[in-house]
Amino acid sequence: EIVLTQSPGTLSLSPGERATLSCRASQSVSSTYLAWYQQKPGQAPRLLIYGASSRATGIPDRFSGSGSGTDFTLTISRLEPEDFAVYYCQQYGSSLTFGGGTKVEIK
Amino acid sequence: EVQLLESGGGLVQPGGSLRLSCAASGFTFNNYALSWVRQAPGKGLEWVSAISGGGGSTYYADSVTGRFTIFRDNTKNTVYLQMHSLRAEDTAVYYCAKDAVGLGTATHFDYWGQGTLVTVSS
């Protein structure tokens, strides 16, 4: 099983700042089969990024994904108030697993 | 508009059984794999099971293999999760999620239901 480790656990930032979230896999994720989701309290997750770097439909371009192999990054260029949430990475190259999440909170 | 509506959650004793349902609309149901993903209270997401669009292929997480069964009725646009031998650690919100790609296996999820809570406790 591919284990995904997300860091940091919590990121404290102010609106307008840049957020950089990391997702590290225990083994290489084939064909960049990696997705990112956003989840707000009491809501279902929302797909942001798939294929490591492709934005899902309707996702603002301040969200971007990058990486390959075992190291992936989600970047939010300028945080909007609605971006404070928990973010999960998920790999689908070998079965499916999720990372433990990164909470982006208001500083 | 794609909609996924889960039902069937509730309180069940350890060792008991429960069947969850997910009624879907707004897309060509039999063209897409569907998954169940769960989230224990205050915890992260865990993929549980997936079924291909035609229903011929099923996949399970190790934690539920042999206890849970996923199946679908494409005439009713509904996917089910039959859960047996439930344990306290199965307590979670269970989400139904639609695969984004439309192939036989589960990949990533573009639509999610709002979830149904399963509580396993005596």
Side-chain angles (χ1 to χ4, degrees):
Chain A
E1 173 182 297
I2 296 179
V3 176
L4 299 178
T5 302
Q6 293 189 239
S7 61
T10 301
L11 199 51
S12 298
L13 294 168
S14 300
E17 289 194 295
R18 181 184 188 90
T20 303
L21 288 66
S22 173
C23 175
R24 179 161 292 177
S26 60
Q27 53 189 285
S28 183
V29 176
S30 60
S31 303
T32 61
Y33 285 158
L34 189 109
W36 290 92
Y37 300 86
Q38 176 194 68
Q39 187 179 33
K40 297 179 181 179
Q43 296 185 17
R46 178 174 72 141
L47 177 67
L48 300 175
I49 301 287
Y50 63 94
S53 60
S54 298
R55 269 187 302 276
T57 303
I59 301 304
D61 60 8
R62 65 180 181 272
F63 290 92
S64 63
S66 62
S68 63
T70 60
D71 290 298
F72 298 88
T73 301
L74 175 70
T75 301
I76 310 171
S77 58
R78 288 178 56 86
L79 282 164
E80 297 287 341
E82 62 269 26
D83 299 337
F84 291 92
V86 179
Y87 293 83
Y88 294 95
C89 57
Q90 177 230 334
Q91 67 80 25
Y92 47 100
S94 174
S95 188
L96 290 92
T97 50
F98 288 90
T102 290
K103 181 179 182 181
V104 178
E105 66 175 21
I106 299 176
K107 186 173 181 180
Chain B
E1 178 191 8
V2 172
Q3 291 192 327
L4 299 168
L5 183 61
E6 302 96 336
S7 61
L11 175 64
V12 61
Q13 292 189 335
S17 299
L18 207 59
R19 178 182 291 184
L20 306 182
S21 301
C22 172
S25 60
F27 63 100
T28 305
F29 186 71
N30 60 2
N31 281 0
Y32 291 89
L34 288 165
S35 283
W36 290 94
V37 178
R38 68 185 179 183
Q39 186 168 36
K43 303 297 184 182
L45 301 170
E46 180 188 14
W47 172 78
V48 172
S49 182
I51 186 166
S52 60
S57 298
T58 57
Y59 310 88
Y60 299 94
D62 289 345
S63 58
V64 306
T65 296
R67 301 188 299 122
F68 291 11
T69 301
I70 190 171
F71 59 102
R72 63 194 292 164
D73 184 339
N74 285 353
T75 66
K76 295 182 178 179
N77 284 10
T78 301
V79 64
Y80 305 91
L81 186 69
Q82 178 67 54
M83 305 184 292
H84 294 296
S85 303
L86 283 161
R87 308 165 179 166
E89 54 265 36
D90 296 317
T91 295
V93 172
Y94 284 72
Y95 293 102
C96 174
K98 171 189 167 292
D99 201 83
V101 177
L103 296 175
T105 59
T107 60
H108 55 289
F109 312 116
D110 57 355
Y111 290 94
W112 298 64
Q114 282 306 299
T116 187
L117 176 63
V118 172
T119 303
V120 184
S121 174
S122 55

Coordinates of all heavy atoms in Angstrom, one line a residue, chain A residues 1 35 37 39 42-47 49-51 88 90-92 95-100, chain B residues 35 37 39 43-47 50 60 62 95 99-101 106-110 112-114:
Chain A
E1 N 0.8 -1.2 0.0 CA 0.0 0.0 0.0 C 0.9 1.2 0.0 O 1.8 1.3 0.7 CB -0.9 0.0 1.3 CG -1.7 1.3 1.4 CD -2.5 1.2 2.7 OE1 -3.4 0.4 2.8 OE2 -2.3 2.1 3.6
A35 N -4.4 13.3 -6.8 CA -5.4 14.3 -6.8 C -5.3 15.0 -5.4 O -4.8 14.5 -4.4 CB -6.8 13.6 -6.9
Y37 N -8.0 17.4 -2.8 CA -9.3 17.7 -2.4 C -9.3 18.8 -1.3 O -8.4 18.8 -0.5 CB -10.1 16.5 -1.9 CG -10.2 15.4 -2.9 CD1 -9.2 14.4 -3.0 CD2 -11.3 15.3 -3.7 CE1 -9.3 13.4 -3.9 CE2 -11.4 14.2 -4.6 CZ -10.4 13.3 -4.7 OH -10.5 12.3 -5.6
Q39 N -11.7 20.2 1.9 CA -12.9 19.9 2.7 C -13.1 20.9 3.7 O -12.2 21.2 4.5 CB -12.8 18.5 3.3 CG -14.1 18.1 4.0 CD -14.0 16.7 4.7 OE1 -12.9 16.3 5.1 NE2 -15.1 16.0 4.7
G42 N -18.2 20.0 8.0 CA -19.6 19.6 7.7 C -19.9 19.4 6.3 O -21.1 19.2 5.9
Q43 N -18.9 19.5 5.4 CA -19.1 19.3 4.0 C -18.4 18.1 3.4 O -17.4 17.7 4.0 CB -18.7 20.6 3.2 CG -19.5 21.8 3.5 CD -19.1 23.0 2.7 OE1 -18.5 22.9 1.6 NE2 -19.5 24.2 3.1
A44 N -18.8 17.6 2.3 CA -18.1 16.6 1.6 C -16.8 17.2 0.9 O -16.8 18.4 0.7 CB -19.0 16.0 0.5
P45 N -15.8 16.4 0.6 CA -14.7 16.9 -0.1 C -15.0 17.4 -1.5 O -16.0 17.0 -2.1 CB -13.7 15.7 -0.2 CG -14.2 14.8 1.0 CD -15.7 15.0 1.0
R46 N -14.2 18.3 -2.0 CA -14.3 18.8 -3.3 C -13.0 18.6 -4.1 O -11.9 19.0 -3.6 CB -14.7 20.3 -3.3 CG -14.8 21.0 -4.7 CD -15.3 22.4 -4.6 NE -14.3 23.4 -4.1 CZ -14.1 24.6 -4.6 NH1 -14.8 25.0 -5.6 NH2 -13.2 25.4 -4.0
L47 N -13.1 18.1 -5.3 CA -12.0 17.8 -6.1 C -11.4 19.2 -6.6 O -12.1 20.0 -7.2 CB -12.3 17.0 -7.3 CG -11.2 16.7 -8.3 CD1 -10.1 15.8 -7.7 CD2 -11.8 16.0 -9.5
I49 N -7.6 19.2 -7.9 CA -6.6 18.9 -8.8 C -6.6 17.4 -9.1 O -6.8 16.6 -8.2 CB -5.2 19.3 -8.3 CG1 -5.1 20.8 -7.9 CG2 -4.0 18.8 -9.2 CD1 -5.0 21.7 -9.2
Y50 N -6.3 17.0 -10.3 CA -6.1 15.6 -10.6 C -5.0 15.4 -11.6 O -4.5 16.4 -12.2 CB -7.4 14.9 -11.3 CG -7.8 15.6 -12.6 CD1 -7.4 15.0 -13.8 CD2 -8.6 16.7 -12.6 CE1 -7.8 15.6 -15.0 CE2 -9.0 17.3 -13.8 CZ -8.5 16.7 -15.0 OH -8.9 17.3 -16.2
G51 N -4.4 14.2 -11.7 CA -3.3 14.1 -12.6 C -2.1 14.9 -12.1 O -1.3 15.3 -13.0
Y88 N -6.6 17.4 1.3 CA -6.2 16.0 1.3 C -5.6 15.7 -0.1 O -6.1 16.1 -1.1 CB -7.3 15.0 1.5 CG -7.9 15.1 2.9 CD1 -9.0 15.9 3.1 CD2 -7.4 14.4 4.0 CE1 -9.6 15.9 4.4 CE2 -7.9 14.4 5.2 CZ -9.0 15.2 5.4 OH -9.6 15.3 6.7
Q90 N -4.6 12.4 -2.6 CA -5.1 11.0 -2.8 C -4.3 10.4 -4.0 O -4.2 11.1 -5.1 CB -6.6 11.0 -3.1 CG -7.1 9.6 -3.4 CD -8.0 9.6 -4.7 OE1 -8.5 10.6 -5.1 NE2 -8.1 8.4 -5.3
Q91 N -3.8 9.2 -3.9 CA -3.2 8.6 -5.1 C -4.1 7.5 -5.6 O -4.8 6.8 -4.8 CB -1.8 8.1 -4.7 CG -1.7 6.9 -3.8 CD -2.0 5.6 -4.4 OE1 -1.8 5.4 -5.6 NE2 -2.4 4.6 -3.6
Y92 N -4.1 7.3 -6.9 CA -4.9 6.3 -7.5 C -4.1 5.5 -8.6 O -4.6 4.9 -9.5 CB -6.1 6.9 -8.2 CG -6.0 8.1 -9.0 CD1 -6.0 8.0 -10.4 CD2 -5.9 9.4 -8.4 CE1 -5.8 9.1 -11.2 CE2 -5.8 10.5 -9.2 CZ -5.7 10.4 -10.6 OH -5.6 11.5 -11.4
S95 N -4.1 0.9 -6.2 CA -5.3 1.0 -5.3 C -5.6 2.5 -5.0 O -5.3 3.3 -5.9 CB -5.1 0.2 -4.0 OG -6.3 0.1 -3.2
L96 N -6.1 2.8 -3.9 CA -6.4 4.2 -3.6 C -6.1 4.5 -2.2 O -6.5 3.7 -1.3 CB -7.9 4.5 -3.8 CG -8.4 4.6 -5.2 CD1 -9.0 3.2 -5.6 CD2 -9.5 5.6 -5.4
T97 N -5.4 5.5 -1.9 CA -5.1 5.9 -0.5 C -5.1 7.4 -0.4 O -4.8 8.1 -1.4 CB -3.7 5.4 0.0 OG1 -2.7 5.7 -1.0 CG2 -3.8 3.9 0.2
F98 N -5.5 7.9 0.7 CA -5.5 9.4 1.0 C -4.4 9.7 2.0 O -4.0 8.9 2.8 CB -6.8 9.8 1.7 CG -8.0 9.8 0.7 CD1 -8.8 8.6 0.6 CD2 -8.3 10.9 0.0 CE1 -9.9 8.7 -0.3 CE2 -9.4 11.0 -0.8 CZ -10.2 9.8 -1.0
G99 N -3.9 10.9 1.9 CA -3.0 11.4 3.0 C -3.8 11.8 4.2 O -5.1 11.9 4.2
G100 N -3.1 12.2 5.3 CA -3.8 12.5 6.5 C -4.4 13.9 6.6 O -5.1 14.2 7.5
Chain B
S35 N -17.6 4.7 -5.7 CA -16.8 4.3 -4.5 C -17.6 4.7 -3.2 O -18.4 5.6 -3.2 CB -15.4 4.9 -4.5 OG -14.5 4.3 -5.3
V37 N -16.3 6.1 0.5 CA -15.2 6.6 1.2 C -15.7 7.0 2.6 O -16.8 7.6 2.7 CB -14.6 7.9 0.5 CG1 -13.4 8.5 1.3 CG2 -14.1 7.5 -0.9
Q39 N -15.1 8.6 6.7 CA -14.3 9.5 7.5 C -14.8 9.4 9.0 O -15.9 9.7 9.3 CB -14.6 10.9 7.0 CG -13.7 12.0 7.7 CD -13.8 13.3 7.0 OE1 -14.8 13.7 6.5 NE2 -12.7 14.0 7.0
K43 N -11.3 12.7 11.9 CA -10.2 12.1 11.2 C -10.2 12.3 9.7 O -11.0 13.1 9.2 CB -10.2 10.5 11.5 CG -10.2 10.2 12.9 CD -8.9 10.6 13.6 CE -8.9 10.1 15.1 NZ -7.7 10.6 15.8
G44 N -9.2 11.7 9.0 CA -9.1 11.9 7.6 C -10.0 11.0 6.8 O -10.8 10.2 7.3
L45 N -9.8 11.0 5.5 CA -10.6 10.2 4.6 C -9.9 8.8 4.4 O -8.7 8.7 4.3 CB -10.6 10.9 3.2 CG -11.2 12.3 3.3 CD1 -11.0 13.0 1.9 CD2 -12.7 12.2 3.6
E46 N -10.8 7.8 4.2 CA -10.3 6.4 4.0 C -11.2 5.8 2.9 O -12.4 5.7 3.0 CB -10.4 5.6 5.2 CG -9.9 4.1 5.0 CD -10.2 3.2 6.2 OE1 -11.0 3.6 7.1 OE2 -9.6 2.1 6.2
W47 N -10.6 5.5 1.8 CA -11.3 4.8 0.7 C -11.7 3.4 1.2 O -10.9 2.7 1.8 CB -10.5 4.7 -0.6 CG -11.1 3.8 -1.6 CD1 -12.1 4.1 -2.4 CD2 -10.7 2.5 -1.9 NE1 -12.4 3.1 -3.2 CE2 -11.6 2.0 -2.9 CE3 -9.7 1.6 -1.4 CZ2 -11.5 0.7 -3.5 CZ3 -9.7 0.3 -1.9 CH2 -10.5 -0.1 -3.0
A50 N -14.9 0.1 -4.1 CA -15.3 0.6 -5.4 C -15.9 -0.5 -6.2 O -15.7 -1.7 -6.1 CB -14.1 1.2 -6.1
Y60 N -11.8 -3.6 -2.7 CA -12.0 -3.3 -1.3 C -10.7 -2.9 -0.6 O -9.6 -3.4 -1.0 CB -12.5 -4.6 -0.6 CG -13.9 -5.0 -1.1 CD1 -14.0 -6.0 -2.1 CD2 -15.0 -4.4 -0.6 CE1 -15.2 -6.4 -2.6 CE2 -16.3 -4.8 -1.1 CZ -16.3 -5.8 -2.1 OH -17.6 -6.2 -2.5
D62 N -8.2 -3.3 2.6 CA -7.9 -4.4 3.4 C -8.7 -4.4 4.7 O -9.1 -5.5 5.2 CB -6.4 -4.5 3.7 CG -5.5 -4.8 2.5 OD1 -6.0 -5.3 1.5 OD2 -4.3 -4.5 2.6
Y95 N -19.3 8.3 2.7 CA -19.6 9.1 1.5 C -19.7 8.1 0.3 O -18.8 7.3 0.1 CB -18.6 10.1 1.2 CG -18.5 11.2 2.2 CD1 -17.5 11.2 3.2 CD2 -19.4 12.3 2.2 CE1 -17.3 12.3 4.1 CE2 -19.2 13.3 3.1 CZ -18.2 13.3 4.1 OH -18.1 14.4 5.0
D99 N -16.7 8.3 -9.7 CA -15.4 8.4 -10.4 C -15.5 9.5 -11.5 O -16.5 9.6 -12.2 CB -15.0 7.1 -10.9 CG -13.5 7.0 -11.1 OD1 -12.8 6.7 -10.2 OD2 -13.1 7.2 -12.3
A100 N -14.4 10.2 -11.6 CA -14.3 11.3 -12.6 C -14.1 10.8 -14.0 O -14.4 11.5 -15.0 CB -13.3 12.3 -12.2
V101 N -13.5 9.6 -14.2 CA -13.0 9.1 -15.5 C -13.9 8.3 -16.3 O -14.0 8.4 -17.5 CB -11.6 8.4 -15.3 CG1 -11.0 7.9 -16.6 CG2 -10.6 9.4 -14.6
A106 N -11.6 2.5 -10.0 CA -11.8 3.8 -9.3 C -10.5 4.6 -9.5 O -9.4 4.1 -9.4 CB -12.1 3.6 -7.8
T107 N -10.6 5.9 -9.7 CA -9.5 6.8 -9.8 C -9.6 7.9 -8.9 O -9.3 7.8 -7.7 CB -9.3 7.3 -11.3 OG1 -10.5 8.0 -11.7 CG2 -9.1 6.1 -12.2
H108 N -10.2 9.1 -9.3 CA -10.4 10.2 -8.4 C -11.9 10.6 -8.6 O -12.6 10.1 -9.5 CB -9.5 11.4 -8.8 CG -9.6 11.8 -10.2 ND1 -9.0 11.1 -11.2 CD2 -10.1 12.9 -10.8 CE1 -9.2 11.7 -12.4 NE2 -9.9 12.8 -12.1
F109 N -12.4 11.4 -7.7 CA -13.8 11.6 -7.5 C -14.2 13.0 -7.7 O -13.8 13.9 -7.0 CB -14.2 11.1 -6.1 CG -13.6 9.8 -5.7 CD1 -12.7 9.7 -4.7 CD2 -14.0 8.7 -6.4 CE1 -12.1 8.4 -4.4 CE2 -13.4 7.4 -6.1 CZ -12.5 7.3 -5.1
D110 N -15.1 13.2 -8.7 CA -15.6 14.5 -9.0 C -16.9 15.0 -8.4 O -17.2 16.2 -8.3 CB -15.6 14.8 -10.6 CG -16.5 13.8 -11.3 OD1 -17.1 12.8 -10.6 OD2 -16.7 13.9 -12.5
W112 N -19.4 14.0 -4.8 CA -19.6 13.3 -3.6 C -21.0 13.6 -3.1 O -21.6 14.6 -3.3 CB -18.6 13.8 -2.6 CG -17.2 13.6 -2.9 CD1 -16.5 14.2 -3.9 CD2 -16.2 12.9 -2.1 NE1 -15.1 13.8 -3.9 CE2 -15.0 13.0 -2.8 CE3 -16.3 12.1 -1.0 CZ2 -13.8 12.4 -2.3 CZ3 -15.1 11.5 -0.5 CH2 -13.9 11.6 -1.2
G113 N -21.5 12.6 -2.3 CA -22.8 12.8 -1.6 C -22.4 13.5 -0.3 O -21.3 13.9 0.0
Q114 N -23.5 13.8 0.5 CA -23.3 14.5 1.7 C -23.0 13.5 2.9 O -22.6 14.0 4.0 CB -24.5 15.3 2.1 CG -24.6 16.6 1.3 CD -23.3 17.4 1.4 OE1 -22.9 17.8 2.5 NE2 -22.6 17.7 0.3

